[in-house]
Amino acid sequence: MSIFFYGCITLDGYLADKNHGLNWLHQTGSGEETGYKAFYRGMDVTIMGKRTYEEIARLKNAGSVYPTTKNYVFTHSDSPLQKGFVPVSGEVPAFVGSLGEDKNIWIIGGNTVLAPLLEADLIDHLIIQIAPVLLGKGIPLFTQKEALRRFRLEEVKRYGQFAELIYSRNSSNR
C-alpha cells in the first residue's frame, strides 16, 4: 500500500480560499496540462473530506469524476452522497489501515484527512503542484501537530505556469 497526497496549492501554501473556493485554481490552468491522468490510473482508492466532496459535487457529472476508484468521503452528515461516493466516519488512520496492503490511496483535499495521516506518519508520497497565485488567507495544506517529518525530493516538473514537486517519505521517519 502506498498513500499519496496529490494536489495543488498557492505560492503561499493554501489549498482553497478562505471560503473553501477554488476559483483561483480554475482560472490558472487545468488538469490536462499536468500528469494527472497518469497519476490517477495508478490509484485504487480516493479519500476526501466533506468540503472537498462538496466542491466535486458542484461539478457537472460529479459521479464520473473518479470513475475507476473506490471513493470515500469522511463526513458526520447523514445526507446521501452522489453515486460513486461512499460516506465513512471515524479515525482516518484506522480507516486507511483497514483498506488492505495492496491499494494505492489518494488523499484528496486538505487538512481534515491529511493532518491525521501525517501525524501517524502514514503519507508515503507528496505530489504538490504550486500555482503562481498568492491568496494571503485561505485553507492551508499543512495543519498537523508539530513533529519533524522528512521527505526526499524525487523530481521537479513544470506544467505551464505550475511547478510540481514530487516527494517520497524519507526512510529515516520510521
Side-chain angles (χ1 to χ4, degrees):
M1 169 174 59
S2 285
I3 303 172
F4 296 79
F5 170 83
Y6 178 99
C8 188
I9 61 171
T10 63
L11 282 170
D12 48 355
Y14 297 111
L15 279 170
D17 67 25
K18 64 184 179 182
N19 298 314
H20 299 275
L22 296 174
N23 284 340
W24 63 270
L25 176 59
H26 301 304
Q27 295 166 356
T28 306
S30 73
E32 269 68 60
E33 300 170 2
T34 68
Y36 169 77
K37 288 180 183 179
F39 170 79
Y40 181 72
R41 279 192 299 271
M43 295 298 109
D44 302 298
V45 173
T46 70
I47 300 175
M48 65 195 77
K50 178 74 170 181
R51 286 194 173 124
T52 300
Y53 165 77
E54 287 171 347
E55 284 297 314
I56 293 166
R58 289 186 181 118
L59 300 173
K60 186 177 179 181
N61 301 320
S64 66
V65 173
Y66 304 118
T68 63
T69 50
K70 184 79 171 177
N71 306 300
Y72 296 101
V73 178
F74 270 86
T75 180
H76 299 290
S77 172
D78 292 333
S79 301
L81 303 180
Q82 291 192 26
K83 183 179 176 184
F85 295 89
V86 178
V88 294
S89 60
E91 298 294 321
V92 177
F95 177 77
V96 167
S98 75
L99 294 175
E101 292 290 321
D102 62 337
K103 305 288 185 206
N104 282 331
I105 300 168
W106 175 18
I107 305 305
I108 301 175
N111 48 36
T112 59
V113 176
L114 182 60
L117 293 170
L118 284 167
E119 290 166 10
D121 198 22
L122 293 175
I123 297 293
D124 298 303
H125 307 280
L126 295 167
I127 302 171
I128 301 171
Q129 294 165 354
I130 302 171
V133 175
L134 294 170
L135 289 177
K137 278 191 173 182
I139 310 304
L141 173 58
F142 298 111
T143 62
Q144 73 281 357
K145 294 176 185 169
E146 184 176 346
L148 179 64
R149 300 279 187 256
R150 293 194 184 273
F151 288 82
R152 181 180 60 256
L153 180 64
E154 301 287 347
E155 195 171 353
V156 177
K157 296 179 181 180
R158 179 179 178 175
Y159 296 107
Q161 290 297 304
F162 295 90
E164 182 176 83
L165 306 173
I166 302 172
Y167 294 96
S168 292
R169 180 202 344 242
N170 216 346
S171 59
S172 65
N173 284 358
R174 291 202 166 177

